[in-house]
Amino acid sequence: QVQLVESGGGLVQAGGSLRLSCAASGRTFSNYAVGWFRQAPGKEREFIGVIRWNNGFTVDTDSVSVKGRFTLSRDVAKNTVSLQMNRLGPEDTAVYYCASAPAGINLPRREYQFDYWGQGTQVTVSS
């Protein structure tokens, strides 16, 4: 059974940074893509970005609210994927999820394309 576990969430002041991590138990991320999503209260889950584990290639959201502030990376030695979030604002308050999917020619971006999900980690940004 594959399990994904997010960590690093918490409370941060506006303008601050947080680094979320996603770790997998039960397998490595080899040949998989790992994506990050977030869901704010009362809103739909939103795609943030996805990384191809084997070569570190990333695809980020086109959302202007996130682009340029959030960065995905991977740590091969630790078998983790990180989401570095900078210049956070109250609008970034949400539950953040990581998810994995087999890495095909095109990286997945839709929720239904991901087969395993973490439980989510809360990020709260105070103004």
Side-chain angles (χ1 to χ4, degrees):
Q1 181 71 18
V2 176
Q3 286 187 323
L4 303 182
V5 179
E6 303 95 340
S7 61
L11 176 64
V12 64
Q13 288 188 334
S17 299
L18 276 178
R19 187 177 184 88
L20 306 182
S21 290
C22 176
S25 63
R27 67 144 195 258
T28 69
F29 284 128
S30 181
N31 298 318
Y32 277 77
V34 180
W36 282 95
F37 292 77
R38 69 181 182 181
Q39 187 166 21
K43 295 188 177 181
E44 294 185 351
R45 195 169 294 187
E46 176 186 14
F47 170 77
I48 296 172
V50 60
I51 185 167
R52 185 187 300 276
W53 180 261
N54 287 7
N55 61 9
F57 178 77
T58 62
V59 172
D60 300 324
T61 178
D62 293 328
S63 171
V64 295
S65 66
V66 170
K67 206 170 186 64
R69 298 189 296 120
F70 291 8
T71 304
L72 275 72
S73 62
R74 78 200 198 288
D75 186 323
V76 175
K78 296 181 179 179
N79 196 42
T80 59
V81 172
S82 293
L83 176 66
Q84 177 67 40
M85 306 185 295
N86 298 324
R87 303 193 307 279
L88 288 164
E91 67 278 9
D92 296 313
T93 294
V95 178
Y96 285 72
Y97 299 89
C98 67
S100 69
I105 296 175
N106 297 313
L107 288 174
R109 300 178 60 150
R110 306 289 187 181
E111 288 183 60
Y112 72 88
Q113 295 175 298
F114 291 85
D115 50 5
Y116 290 101
W117 291 78
Q119 81 289 350
T121 185
Q122 177 71 46
V123 171
T124 303
V125 184
S126 62
S127 58

